[in-house]
Amino acid sequence: MRLLKVATCNLNQWAMDFDCNMKNIKESISRAKEAGAVIRLGPELEITGYGCEDHFLELDTVNHAWDCLKELLVGDWTDDILCSFGMPVIKGSERYNCQVLCLNRKIVMIRPKMWLANDGNYRELRWFTAWKQKESLEDFLLPSDVSEAVLQTTVPFGYGYIQFLDVAIAAEVCEELFSPMPPHAELALNGVEVFLNASGSHHQLRKLDLRLRAFIGATHTRGGVYMYSNHQGCDGGRLYYDGCSCIVVNGDVVAQGSQFSLKDVEMVVAQVDLDAVASLRGSISSFQEQASCKPKVSSVEVPYRLCQSFKLQMLLSSPLKIQYHSPEEEIAFGPGCWLWDYLRRSGASGFLLPLSGGADSSSVAAIVGCMCQLVVKEISEGDEQVKADAIRIGQYTDGQFPTDSKEFAKRIFYTVFMGSENSSNATRTRAKLLAEEVGSWHLDVSIDGVVSALLSLFQKLTGKQPRYKVDGGSNIENLGLQNIQARIRMVLAFMLASLLPWVHNKPGFYLVLGSSNVDEGLRGYLTKYDCSSADINPIGSISKQDLRRFLRWAAVHLGFASLEEIEAAPPTAELEPIRSNYSQLDEVDMGMTYEELSVYGRLRKIFRCGPVSMFKNLCYKWGTKLTPAEIAEKVKYFFKYYSINRHKMTVLTPSYHAESYSPEDNRYDLRQFLYNARWPFQFRKLDELVKELDGDRVAITKPSDHETTGVRSDGGMGVVAAGSGNPSVGL
């Protein structure tokens, strides 16, 4: 038997904080050595942090990475252990995303990434060049200070593998695993038995299974040991890297790290038998045949043994049942961990949330409550870093630290119900009860006086007094009155976040949390610069339907029982007066249901549909319930309001990324924000298709400039005046 002990890790790195990153890297190496591992794998670009973005274009960033690597090499960190470090490297005039493989204070090989991630949230081609020379390894001239320190002038650079005396090892970097022709297939035929995948993979709801299936598939039919390392945490942006480092042997997961954690360093260790790999490969006839005529891959010969022979006291790692979180758990733990990293690294003293008693803001409150529970749990399990951060943020003295999540929440979390004459007692009561369950410092504020003052000023300036629609006012007046309330709440929230700590003799400031969901962003069902404008938003890329499922789950599993009643209440902005014959409802205002919005969002983004192809897809999906003409009007209505409100994405609060149809404008959904909202060419095509499908040559009646066909929440057709309802088209 050739026994090999290997270690991979989740690291909570911070882009451009080299001290933080080096501390975690060294800790991971120390733990790997303590466990007896002879291979240590770290995440992609771990030395700099993955999210440096345009800092990668600065020579300083590359030079600092070399300084850190030199520090690791001149110490004893790589003694008797093969370490793979991720960092940017410049060769000639090109910048590469590289894995640097080191052993015994020498660089054995530098492996540049060949297939870069350049879709969705990823922009690697903006900063790096893909390595395209597969034929042979080249000599790379080390920087002079590194060369002098390690007594090494050149290093093999390129695509290849390392041939030790008893095992062949190769790197496969992140995206390469998911490419149509992944390198591991060719490398396996060349005898490579251990694959090292350093990754920077972010969390997205329901995504983990795709990743794990790729690891399993890589070794199921061709054998091998597949090691995967990932970042875990918020390294400075919208993304949360969700760890789940693992080790797979011949298609079986034998070790798996956590997906969500507050830990800075988490090690995953396994003892594997390489003879099991050789045995599997030898039993597959097609593998043998293809290996006999394989294209040759270059290698680096290293006269060193990594394996141990058979010993009774060395137990092999057995296959595990893969651990998956439910989507509801992902919503609780992912944003909760992201918020903790943001809080401890931003210098803030806590969070302030405008809590309306509705589903969205209540979801955010529950996530903060979950974060507090995670902090207390980690401290109870002995995590000294979490404990130190919690003591600093919560202002504990005399050796005290958080032992109760509600007590900790009281120190770091303000919630504010900012009610008006249009607010119901039910939402006020729900907000108060949830705040008590979470433990936040809760305020109940009336904004009517500020609204009246602004309206008095407006009347003095213009001589006119606007009225709500239910009181006989126009759509313009109705919209303006709602926008005033929404924007006052934003101003009040930021004022309280900056001054309440001073009132309570606390240092620093509080971060304002937003609570608009992905569907509202897609439809533009929010006021620009209302209380959806905040410092950060943990639910901005989560659908309304998922949030409602989360509320039902959190009511039971997080202990916030009031969420059950909140989830059951119909969504409403409560910006218009409540009358016996009228109550404002979100889905009526929007002219579409949240379920329909989710369908539109997925077709638009995930399936890349314009109006015409969306119409065709929906004819298949809804054709048994609606006529082609009705479906066409729904599609037109969605694209009209999507395009009218796209500009709101340019100022929307930075949001945790969780949903694959997010309309977030900064990096994920790069589209224009000034549209011809009539879509004349596309809508004309729709009309022609409807004619063909209906067999009717009579021109379809088009909405006038003053009204457009909408959809009531009950699914029937109705006429909705443009600009009506909640500030969904407010500028």
Side-chain angles (χ1 to χ4, degrees):
M1 299 178 77
R2 289 176 296 146
L3 301 181
L4 189 68
K5 200 157 198 179
V6 297
T8 182
C9 56
N10 297 331
L11 296 188
N12 193 329
Q13 306 298 77
W14 191 0
M16 299 301 292
D17 188 337
F18 293 90
D19 287 340
C20 165
N21 299 343
M22 283 291 283
K23 174 178 174 290
N24 292 342
I25 290 169
K26 290 177 178 178
E27 175 68 20
S28 70
I29 298 173
S30 295
R31 293 195 198 176
K33 286 185 173 183
E34 288 171 8
V38 292
I39 299 177
R40 176 268 177 198
L41 172 65
E44 184 178 14
L45 296 168
E46 61 182 313
I47 291 178
T48 58
Y50 185 84
C52 296
E53 299 185 322
D54 281 0
H55 284 297
F56 284 126
L57 303 179
E58 301 166 6
L59 289 178
D60 277 2
T61 304
V62 180
N63 292 336
H64 296 337
W66 279 112
D67 290 338
C68 292
L69 183 66
K70 181 175 70 173
E71 183 180 333
L72 292 168
L73 288 170
V74 298
D76 62 357
W77 300 103
T78 62
D79 288 0
D80 302 318
I81 186 168
L82 177 69
C83 291
S84 177
F85 302 116
M87 60 178 276
V89 174
I90 294 176
K91 185 179 188 297
S93 58
E94 303 95 47
R95 185 184 300 99
Y96 295 100
N97 175 350
C98 295
Q99 287 302 119
V100 183
L101 293 104
C102 306
L103 173 68
N104 290 331
R105 311 192 187 198
K106 301 289 184 183
I107 301 174
V108 178
M109 175 183 175
I110 299 178
R111 165 65 155 83
K113 192 171 181 179
M114 299 188 298
W115 307 112
L116 301 179
N118 208 58
D119 49 17
N121 283 299
Y122 296 104
R123 299 286 177 276
E124 288 185 5
L125 277 170
R126 181 180 175 97
W127 310 301
F128 300 108
T129 299
W131 180 254
K132 303 176 182 68
Q133 313 305 319
K134 290 186 62 178
E135 292 74 23
S136 61
L137 293 166
E138 299 181 4
D139 285 336
F140 175 81
L141 188 65
L142 290 173
S144 58
D145 59 327
V146 177
S147 176
E148 292 171 8
V150 301
L151 303 177
Q152 188 176 7
T153 306
T154 61
V155 177
F157 186 103
Y159 170 60
Y161 63 94
I162 304 173
Q163 181 64 64
F164 289 92
L165 294 174
D166 49 6
V167 60
I169 297 172
E172 181 172 66
V173 191
C174 196
E175 178 71 14
E176 294 174 354
L177 168 65
F178 304 97
S179 61
M181 296 177 64
H184 69 256
E186 182 178 57
L187 289 165
L189 295 175
N190 276 265
V192 173
E193 296 163 300
V194 180
F195 303 93
L196 312 179
N197 189 309
S199 184
S201 185
H202 67 267
H203 173 237
Q204 195 166 282
L205 291 176
R206 305 172 178 89
K207 173 187 172 185
L208 180 60
D209 183 54
L210 296 175
R211 198 188 304 162
L212 283 167
R213 279 192 308 210
F215 307 147
I216 292 169
T219 60
H220 179 71
T221 58
R222 57 183 67 90
V225 177
Y226 206 95
M227 298 172 59
Y228 171 77
S229 177
N230 193 19
H231 294 266
Q232 185 174 59
C234 167
D235 80 342
R238 292 164 168 81
L239 306 182
Y240 177 81
Y241 300 95
D242 60 336
C244 205
S245 294
C246 61
I247 299 167
V248 180
V249 180
N250 292 349
D252 291 320
V253 177
V254 299
Q256 179 185 357
S258 67
Q259 188 177 10
F260 308 107
S261 173
L262 303 185
K263 293 181 173 66
D264 282 345
V265 179
E266 180 181 354
M267 298 305 298
V268 177
V269 181
Q271 179 91 29
V272 301
D273 176 18
L274 294 180
D275 281 353
V277 175
S279 176
L280 176 64
R281 290 177 175 178
S283 69
I284 303 172
S285 176
S286 59
F287 185 94
Q288 299 284 300
E289 291 300 315
Q290 290 186 358
S292 69
C293 58
K294 62 186 177 293
K296 185 172 176 57
V297 176
S298 300
S299 63
V300 178
E301 306 289 328
V302 178
Y304 187 85
R305 295 187 184 276
L306 291 176
C307 299
Q308 295 189 46
S309 57
F310 172 72
K311 290 183 180 179
L312 259 181
Q313 62 269 34
M314 297 178 66
L315 298 177
L316 292 178
S317 299
S318 302
L320 302 174
K321 181 181 179 182
I322 300 173
Q323 298 297 313
Y324 290 109
H325 289 286
S326 68
E328 293 82 4
E329 290 174 322
E330 291 185 83
I331 292 171
F333 301 142
C337 293
W338 182 76
L339 284 176
W340 177 246
D341 278 345
Y342 205 102
L343 178 61
R344 71 188 180 113
R345 289 173 171 171
S346 66
S349 302
F351 298 119
L352 182 140
L353 171 68
L355 182 59
S356 70
D360 294 332
S361 61
S362 296
S363 296
V364 175
I367 289 169
V368 176
C370 178
M371 181 201 81
C372 294
Q373 292 177 8
L374 290 172
V375 168
V376 171
K377 181 175 181 288
E378 286 292 338
I379 292 173
S380 70
E381 294 176 355
D383 193 307
E384 292 299 321
Q385 184 60 59
V386 174
K387 183 178 179 179
D389 288 330
I391 289 172
R392 173 178 54 83
I393 295 167
Q395 297 295 301
Y396 289 91
T397 57
D398 301 326
Q400 293 182 318
F401 55 87
T403 57
D404 178 79
S405 63
K406 292 177 69 172
E407 185 275 334
F408 184 55
K410 182 76 72 176
R411 289 173 176 262
I412 60 110
F413 189 30
Y414 288 122
T415 51
V416 189
F417 181 84
M418 294 183 276
S420 71
E421 61 182 0
N422 302 320
S423 303
S424 67
N425 288 328
T427 53
R428 176 179 276 106
T429 302
R430 291 182 199 126
K432 183 175 184 294
L433 183 56
L434 178 58
E436 291 172 355
E437 292 172 344
V438 172
S440 65
W441 188 291
H442 187 65
L443 296 173
D444 191 324
V445 181
S446 173
I447 64 172
D448 288 330
V450 187
V451 174
S452 296
L454 284 173
L455 290 175
S456 295
L457 175 61
F458 180 82
Q459 188 173 17
K460 184 176 180 180
L461 288 171
T462 66
K464 290 193 172 185
Q465 181 72 36
R467 295 177 298 169
Y468 287 102
K469 189 175 181 180
V470 294
D471 295 327
S474 65
N475 290 324
I476 293 174
E477 294 170 74
N478 195 62
L479 188 60
L481 288 170
Q482 294 181 73
N483 284 343
I484 290 170
Q485 297 168 74
R487 287 175 175 143
I488 284 171
R489 286 171 174 152
M490 180 200 73
V491 175
L492 181 58
F494 277 98
M495 183 183 76
L496 292 172
S498 61
L499 291 178
L500 278 178
W502 168 72
V503 170
H504 294 132
N505 297 314
K506 295 181 180 180
F509 61 96
Y510 276 44
L511 294 165
V512 178
L513 297 179
S515 59
S516 58
N517 61 62
V518 69
D519 296 322
E520 290 172 348
L522 176 65
R523 167 61 170 74
Y525 187 66
L526 54 99
T527 304
K528 207 172 187 179
Y529 307 115
D530 71 349
C531 58
S532 63
S533 297
D535 290 308
I536 50 175
N537 180 0
I539 67 165
S541 184
I542 302 175
S543 74
K544 189 78 164 188
Q545 294 182 89
D546 280 337
L547 287 173
R548 301 196 78 150
R549 283 190 282 265
F550 163 70
L551 289 174
R552 292 193 292 270
W553 176 89
V556 176
H557 294 88
L558 297 182
F560 306 145
S562 63
L563 293 176
E564 188 173 353
E565 182 181 345
I566 290 169
E567 189 279 327
T572 173
E574 292 195 337
L575 291 170
E576 294 183 74
I578 299 171
R579 297 287 188 265
S580 60
N581 62 346
Y582 178 76
S583 179
Q584 185 179 21
L585 296 173
D586 287 357
E587 292 183 328
V588 175
D589 277 354
M590 291 192 299
M592 59 191 73
T593 66
Y594 281 109
E595 183 179 0
E596 289 171 337
L597 255 177
S598 183
V599 173
Y600 299 144
R602 292 179 186 280
L603 288 173
R604 181 196 70 94
K605 177 64 178 175
I606 302 173
F607 296 97
R608 300 164 294 280
C609 288
V612 175
S613 52
M614 183 180 289
F615 166 76
K616 291 177 179 177
N617 277 276
L618 289 177
C619 280
Y620 290 115
K621 187 177 182 66
W622 293 343
T624 58
K625 298 182 296 182
L626 299 170
T627 67
E630 289 172 329
I631 294 172
E633 291 305 326
K634 282 178 175 281
V635 171
K636 290 179 184 179
Y637 189 74
F638 164 72
F639 272 100
K640 173 183 176 178
Y641 280 97
Y642 160 76
S643 54
I644 285 174
N645 292 306
R646 178 64 185 173
H647 65 94
K648 295 179 184 178
M649 289 294 96
T650 65
V651 299
L652 203 62
T653 298
S655 301
Y656 178 97
H657 177 84
E659 182 54 75
S660 54
Y661 69 89
S662 170
E664 190 270 312
D665 173 77
N666 178 267
R667 62 183 295 145
Y668 187 71
D669 187 30
L670 304 183
R671 287 170 168 84
Q672 73 212 65
F673 57 86
L674 180 60
Y675 282 91
N676 183 341
R678 290 184 173 85
W679 296 78
F681 183 89
Q682 295 90 333
F683 286 5
R684 189 167 65 249
K685 289 287 185 183
L686 280 184
D687 291 343
E688 292 170 0
L689 277 170
V690 169
K691 284 183 186 179
E692 292 175 15
L693 293 172
D694 286 347
D696 185 358
R697 294 186 176 273
V698 179
I700 297 172
T701 303
K702 297 181 181 179
S704 70
D705 289 339
H706 302 292
E707 64 181 26
T708 184
T709 304
V711 187
R712 295 194 302 269
S713 60
D714 61 4
M717 304 301 293
V719 175
V720 179
S724 66
N726 189 44
S728 56
V729 292
L731 298 178

